[in-house]
Every structure is written in structure tokens, then in C-alpha cells.
């Protein structure tokens, strides 16, 4: 076709007539001829059309060198690859956001990701703490003897006070997330060193003769106790300083849920100590200290260390002073009530807990006895002086099972029963119900002092306290915190109080 006869409407051209004839004749090869004959008949594309084609190439990945006569199947496959992955991703995000909204309220997708980053940090912290907590009594019993657990607990109080004193000095010098790295690295190195020393033939668990002069047992016990008291408080102090009130209402429930999952999985690792080994379990707990630093660093790198509303605390508060808590205790009767319930609970739980560990030590000493000629046998007295390796592993597995069962029960209480009980009984009756349960447990333990009865009693007490009593205590603490009750000091010019009621996990 000459240029003078060029038809701007290709469907009325000679090529179109030829195409119609080829269709009627059933000759399909003329399709390609039509493409060749009309290639010169198409007017040059406009700039807008070229832009549209360019945009399509950017979306689809096609280039000008690719063929234009692909069949319909390949084109359909290409479209599926483009559309459906995005659709699936958006659908999953919508489902996750809808589920989060149903459980914790209306939260933006960006805020959900921020909460997940904080929850991951708390997961490693509580998981590592409960892993090590399940080992602390086993290590002290094997190295020093079960009869020294009460003394180690009293010593840990002074150690915690010393660490809190250092924390109060550093909190005036460094931001909270920097303190997180300082204390996190300190505990990582400390727990790693303890795990290495536990493998030593004379210092560690291989030496099966207990002695109160074996310092490693005391260091292990007090280190774990101080970590649980200081690091958890530091985390919540950081979260309170960067979280707005609206976000706190939606996020704190999810953070506590992540902590409870960690508190279940941590002791679960200890239940496999027969396969993994107690020193290796200890090292896994140390690695959790490193993981929580990585997650905190990631959070600060992405979201910063300031609250979403643009800054830290906007109001300056006067320092409460060291004696402020004593003044409030004398002045307010409900604080005396909270103090009495908390202290009575801790005294009772400490006694029952120690009873359970003594019974567990006797049980596994009988189950896996120490024989003559083994390292745990004292030839001078011709009797067993310590725990055999199998008894150590059995005791560690038992404590891991206890932590696993207690925190699972706590999780179920918090998920299913806490709000219903408080709504049904009210705050006052719920507080009265708890000491009544304590009295019943004491009577049962006194009547049937066997290992598994005490195990069930302790599981019920601690599970109920973590799931219900702490929630009631925290409800009362809202008023408590409004009165500026504190056990330590505040940051100058920032007004951030470290609350004594922060450790709820």
C-alpha cells in the first residue's frame, strides 16, 4: 500500500478485507500477514501513548525487545504474577490488622509494627529470665546445697538494692535506651561467664560435692534475681516514656501477652536439659540478653526514642524524695492494705516454694541416687554428699515444668477469667478472695505435704497471682501512681518515676 493511499482506519483497509477473507476460508496464517501489512499503516504514536507504553513497561517488566504476539495464556500468567502477590499481601495485612483491632482496639498499621518491635524485646527478656529462673535453684542446690536457698534470697535483696542504686545514678547521665544496652551487655557477659564456669571440672557442676563456699552458686542466684528486678523495670520505664495514652491502652495488653508467651517458652527449654545440658541452657538464656539488645537497637533505629506525640514528658515534676513513700504509707489506709496483701502473699509463697524445692531435691535424690565411687559420694562418711548428674538434670527439668505449667495457667487466667471475675465479684471481693485462697492452700499443704500436692498448690497460687492479683493490684496502682509513690528517685527535669509495681511478669 502506497503512502498516498494510507488509511488512518485500518479496519476499512485492504488488509482488513484480506483478514476477513482468511477467516472465512479458515486460513489462519493470514493473521501474521495482516500484522506485517499493517505495521506501516499505523500512524506514529503520540507522546502520550509512548508514555502510557513506558508506564506499562515499568509495571510489567516488559521491554521493547519482547515479542508482542504472545498467546493469551502467557499474558494471563503474567497478570496473575503481578496482581495476586500484592493482593495476598494486602489481604494478610488486613486480616492481621482486623484481628489486632478486635483484641486491642483500633490501631494503625504503623503503630501495630511499632508495638510488635517492643513486644519482641519483652519476649526475649521475659523468656530469658524465666529460662534462667528455672535454673537458679538447681544450680544453687547442686553447688551449695538446698538449705542455702533462704540465705541466697535474703542476700539477693541487698544485691538488688545495690544494682538499683547504680541504676539511679546512671539514669541521670544516659537515656533509657542507652541504659538498656549497658545493663543488657553486662548481664549477657555475666551469664555467658557463668555458663562457661558451670562446665569447669572443679568450679562447675562436675564437682558434685556442695559447699557454701562455692561462690559461683551465689553469684548465679543473685544475678538472676537482680536481672528480673532491674531490667523489667527499665523496659517498662522506657515504654512509658515513649508511648502515648491512646497507644498504651491498645499496646500494653499485647506486650503482656508477648511476655507470657516468653515465660512459657523459656522454661520449656529447661525441660530438655537432659538433652541440651544445664550449662548450654544457661548460655541460651545469656543469648536472650543479646537478642533483646538487638531488638531494642532496631526499634530505636526505626522509630527513635521519643514518644509518638513528639517528645518526652512535657511536665516537670518535683522530686518525690526517698521518704515520700513512707509518708504516703502512713497517710493512706488503702496503701497499707495493698502492702499487707503483697507481703503476706510473698511470705507464704516463699515458704511453700522452699518446701517444694526441698521435696523435689529429696525426690530426685531417691530417684537418681548417688552410688559409691561417684563424684557425689563422700568416702569419709560413706554416704552421698550431693546430687548425681542425673538428679541435677531431673531437678532442672522439674523446675522447668513448674515454670511452664505456672505461666500457662497464668496466661489462661488472664485471657479467659480475669475480667469476668472482677466484673462479677468487684474489686473489693476479688482482693478478699485471694487471701482466702492462700489460707486454703496452706491447709492443704499442711495436711498432704507431698511433692506433687505442693507443686499443684504453688502452680495455683502463682498462676492466680500473675493472672488476677497483679491486675487488681495494677488497677489500684493507677491511683497509687497519681500520688507519685516511688521506691527510688526521679530523673531530674524529666519527671520519670520508677514505680515499684512495674514488675508484673
Amino acid at each position: 500500500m502506497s503512502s498516498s493511499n494510507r488509511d488512518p482506519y485500518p479496519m476499512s483497509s485492504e488488509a482488513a478485507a484480506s483478514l476477513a477473507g482468511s477467516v472465512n476460508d479458515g486460513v489462519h496464517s493470514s493473521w501474521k500477514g495482516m500484522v506485517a501489512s499493517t505495521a506501516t499503516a499505523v500512524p506514529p504514536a503520540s507522546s502520550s501513548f509512548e508514555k502510557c507504553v513506558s508506564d506499562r513497561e515499568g509495571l510489567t517488566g516488559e521491554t521493547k525487545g519482547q515479542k508482542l504476539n504472545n498467546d493469551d495464556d502467557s499474558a494471563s500468567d503474567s497478570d496473575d504474577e503481578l496482581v495476586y502477590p500484592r493482593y495476598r499481601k494486602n489481604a494478610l495485612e488486613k486480616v492481621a490488622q482486623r484481628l489486632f483491632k478486635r483484641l486491642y482496639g483500633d490501631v494503625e498499621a504503623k503503630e501495630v509494627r511499632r508495638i510488635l518491635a517492643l513486644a519482641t524485646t519483652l519476649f526475649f527478656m521475659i523468656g530469658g529470665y524465666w529460662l534462667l529462673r528455672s535454673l537458679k535453684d538447681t544450680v544453687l542446690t547442686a553447688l551449695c546445697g538446698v538449705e542455702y536457698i533462704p540465705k541466697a534470697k535474703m542476700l539477693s535483696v541487698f544485691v538488688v538494692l545495690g544494682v538499683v542504686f547504680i541504676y539511679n545514678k546512671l539514669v541521670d547521665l544516659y537515656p533509657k535506651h542507652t541504659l538498656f544496652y549497658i545493663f543488657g551487655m553486662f548481664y549477657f557477659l555475666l551469664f555467658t561467664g557463668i555458663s562457661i564456669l558451670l562446665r569447669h571440672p572443679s568450679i562447675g557442676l562436675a564437682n558434685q560435692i556442695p559447699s557454701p563456699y562455692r561462690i559461683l552458686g551465689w553469684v548465679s542466684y543473685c544475678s538472676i534475681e537482680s536481672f528480673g528486678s532491674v531490667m523489667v523495670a527499665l523496659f517498662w520505664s522506657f515504654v512509658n516514656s515513649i508511648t502515648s495514652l491512646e497507644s498504651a491502652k491498645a499496646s500494653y495488653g499485647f506486650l503482656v501477652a508477648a511476655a507470657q508467651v516468653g515465660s512459657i517458652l523459656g522454661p520449656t527449654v529447661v525441660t530438655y536439659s537432659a538433652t541440651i545440658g544445664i550449662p548450654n541452657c544457661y548460655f541460651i538464656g545469656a543469648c536472650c540478653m543479646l537478642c533483646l539488645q538487638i531488638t531494642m537497637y532496631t526499634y530505636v533505629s526505626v522509630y527513635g526514642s521519643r514518644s509518638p506525640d513528639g517528645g518526652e514528658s512535657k511536665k516537670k515534676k518535683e522530686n518525690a524524695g526517698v521518704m515520700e513513700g513512707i509518708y504516703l504509707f502512713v497517710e493512706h489506709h488503702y496503701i497499707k492494705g495493698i502492702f499487707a496483701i503483697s507481703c503476706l502473699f510473698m511470705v507464704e509463697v516463699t515458704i511453700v516454694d522452699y518446701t517444694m524445692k526441698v521435696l523435689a531435691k529429696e525426690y530426685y535424690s531417691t530417684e537418681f541416687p548417688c552410688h559409691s565411687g561417684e563424684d557425689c559420694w563422700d568416702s569419709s562418711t560413706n554416704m552421698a554428699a550431693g546430687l548425681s548428674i542425673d538428679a541435677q538434670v531431673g531437678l532442672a527439668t522439674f523446675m522447668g515444668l513448674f515454670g511452664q505449667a505456672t505461666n500457662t495457667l497464668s496466661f489462661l487466667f488472664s485471657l479467659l477469667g480475669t475480667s469476668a471475675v472482677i466484673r462479677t465479684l468487684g474489686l473489693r471481693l476479688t482482693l478478699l478472695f485471694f487471701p482466702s485462697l492462700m489460707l486454703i492452700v496452706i491447709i492443704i499443704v499442711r495436711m498432704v505435704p507431698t511433692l506433687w500436692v505442693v507443686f499443684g498448690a504453688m502452680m495455683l497460687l502463682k498462676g492466680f497471682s500473675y493472672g488476677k492479683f497483679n491486675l487488681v493490684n495494677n488497677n489500684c496502682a493507677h491511683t497509687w501512681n497519681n500520688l507519685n509513690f516511688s521506691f527510688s528517685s526521679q530523673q531530674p527535669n524529666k519527671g520519670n518515676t520508677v514505680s515499684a509495681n512495674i514488675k508484673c511478669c
Side-chain angles (χ1 to χ4, degrees):
M1 183 181 297
S2 63
S3 61
S4 62
N5 296 328
R6 182 176 298 170
D7 188 359
Y9 304 97
M11 294 308 297
S12 62
S13 63
E14 294 179 0
S18 174
L19 172 62
S22 66
V23 172
N24 293 331
D25 295 339
V27 182
H28 301 286
S29 60
S30 299
W31 284 87
K32 295 182 179 180
M34 182 263 180
V35 173
S37 62
T38 58
T40 58
V42 179
S46 63
S47 60
S48 61
F49 178 78
E50 290 177 351
K51 184 177 183 300
C52 179
V53 172
S54 176
D55 292 341
R56 180 180 183 276
E57 290 174 359
L59 290 172
T60 61
E62 285 185 350
T63 61
K64 294 182 179 180
Q66 292 178 325
K67 294 183 180 180
L68 300 178
N69 57 346
N70 293 333
D71 57 8
D72 293 339
D73 293 337
S74 62
S76 176
D77 294 340
S78 177
D79 291 340
D80 289 344
E81 291 176 359
L82 291 172
V83 176
Y84 286 103
R86 294 179 182 176
Y87 174 78
R88 294 191 190 100
K89 181 179 179 181
N90 293 335
L92 290 175
E93 287 182 354
K94 289 180 179 179
V95 170
Q97 191 170 0
R98 191 179 299 115
L99 178 62
F100 198 93
K101 179 180 179 181
R102 178 177 291 273
L103 294 175
Y104 304 106
D106 192 6
V107 185
E108 297 180 357
K110 181 180 179 181
E111 184 67 11
V112 172
R113 290 190 289 270
R114 190 181 76 88
I115 295 170
L116 285 174
L118 289 173
T120 305
T121 302
L122 188 59
F123 169 81
F124 282 116
M125 179 186 298
I126 301 300
Y129 168 68
W130 269 96
L131 191 158
L132 295 170
R133 176 173 172 165
S134 300
L135 293 173
K136 68 174 183 178
D137 294 301
T138 301
V139 171
L140 184 67
T141 301
L143 297 182
C144 302
V146 70
E147 63 272 15
Y148 290 98
I149 290 179
K151 295 181 179 179
K153 188 168 287 292
M154 288 188 290
L155 176 63
S156 67
V157 173
F158 297 99
V159 173
V160 169
L161 289 176
V163 176
V164 170
F165 177 79
I166 296 173
Y167 168 82
N168 288 332
K169 292 297 182 182
L170 295 178
V171 78
D172 299 332
L173 303 176
Y174 301 101
K176 288 187 175 66
H177 66 277
T178 304
L179 286 179
F180 216 86
Y181 307 143
I182 294 173
F183 281 96
M185 183 56 67
F186 168 76
Y187 281 109
F188 167 70
L189 296 175
L190 179 61
F191 292 143
T192 300
I194 294 174
S195 68
I196 294 173
L197 292 176
L198 288 176
R199 296 180 173 87
H200 195 274
S202 60
I203 301 176
L205 296 173
N207 181 0
Q208 300 170 22
I209 304 297
S211 171
Y213 300 105
R214 298 181 67 177
I215 301 176
L216 183 61
W218 301 92
V219 172
S220 171
Y221 193 97
C222 294
S223 300
I224 297 171
E225 285 288 307
S226 65
F227 173 84
S229 299
V230 174
M231 286 297 289
V232 178
L234 176 59
F235 173 82
W236 285 112
S237 178
F238 173 78
V239 171
N240 290 335
S241 68
I242 63 170
T243 306
S244 63
L245 178 61
E246 292 75 13
S247 177
K249 293 178 180 178
S251 63
Y252 279 20
F254 185 78
L255 292 176
V256 172
Q260 288 179 321
V261 172
S263 67
I264 295 171
L265 295 180
T268 301
V269 175
V270 182
T271 60
Y272 293 95
S273 56
T275 303
I276 302 175
I278 294 177
N280 291 332
C281 289
Y282 215 105
F283 181 69
I284 293 174
C287 290
C288 290
M289 308 301 108
L290 186 62
C291 291
L292 66 88
Q293 293 179 71
I294 295 174
T295 54
M296 177 58 72
Y297 177 79
T298 303
Y299 175 87
V300 174
S301 300
V302 176
Y303 300 102
S305 60
R306 293 181 176 270
S307 61
D309 55 4
E312 297 179 356
S313 179
K314 296 180 181 179
K315 292 193 278 185
K316 295 182 180 180
K317 301 179 182 178
E318 296 180 0
N319 289 342
V322 177
M323 302 299 293
E324 184 69 17
I326 298 177
Y327 296 148
L328 292 173
F329 178 83
V330 173
E331 183 178 356
H332 298 280
H333 295 297
Y334 79 94
I335 294 180
K336 297 185 184 73
I338 295 175
F339 174 80
I341 293 176
S342 299
C343 287
L344 288 174
F345 167 72
M346 290 308 300
V347 169
E348 178 180 345
V349 165
T350 301
I351 295 173
V352 178
D353 182 66
Y354 178 63
T355 302
M356 183 185 71
K357 290 163 185 173
V358 171
L359 292 173
K361 187 254 184 183
E362 294 176 355
Y363 176 83
Y364 285 101
S365 296
T366 305
E367 189 74 14
F368 304 101
C370 178
H371 300 286
S372 177
E374 296 182 355
D375 293 336
C376 55
W377 188 267
D378 189 354
S379 57
S380 61
T381 59
N382 199 27
M383 60 184 301
L387 295 174
S388 64
I389 295 296
D390 292 336
Q392 294 176 10
V393 172
L395 183 58
T397 303
F398 173 82
M399 295 306 301
L401 178 64
F402 172 72
Q404 189 181 42
T406 300
N407 289 296
T408 301
L409 184 63
S410 169
F411 179 75
L412 294 177
F413 274 159
S414 300
L415 186 65
L416 303 176
T418 300
S419 300
V421 170
I422 295 177
R423 286 196 304 267
T424 303
L425 300 179
L427 190 61
R428 183 186 299 272
L429 289 179
T430 304
L431 284 171
L432 292 174
F433 176 73
F434 188 73
S436 302
L437 177 66
M438 294 165 57
L439 178 61
I440 294 172
V441 167
I442 285 293
I443 294 174
I444 293 175
V445 171
R446 181 66 179 86
M447 294 175 61
V448 190
T450 61
L451 174 61
W452 296 108
V453 170
V454 177
F455 176 91
M458 277 296 301
M459 183 180 69
L460 185 62
L461 272 179
K462 288 203 170 184
F464 186 86
S465 69
Y466 295 153
K468 287 183 167 42
F469 179 65
N470 272 345
L471 179 61
V472 175
N473 196 23
N474 287 335
N475 287 335
C476 296
H478 286 302
T479 308
W480 196 348
N481 288 335
N482 290 335
L483 292 171
N484 256 347
F485 183 79
S486 64
F487 76 95
S488 59
S489 62
Q490 295 175 316
Q491 284 196 34
N493 303 325
K494 292 186 179 180
N496 293 323
T497 303
V498 182
S499 170
N501 200 40
I502 281 174
K503 185 184 175 185
C504 64
C505 299

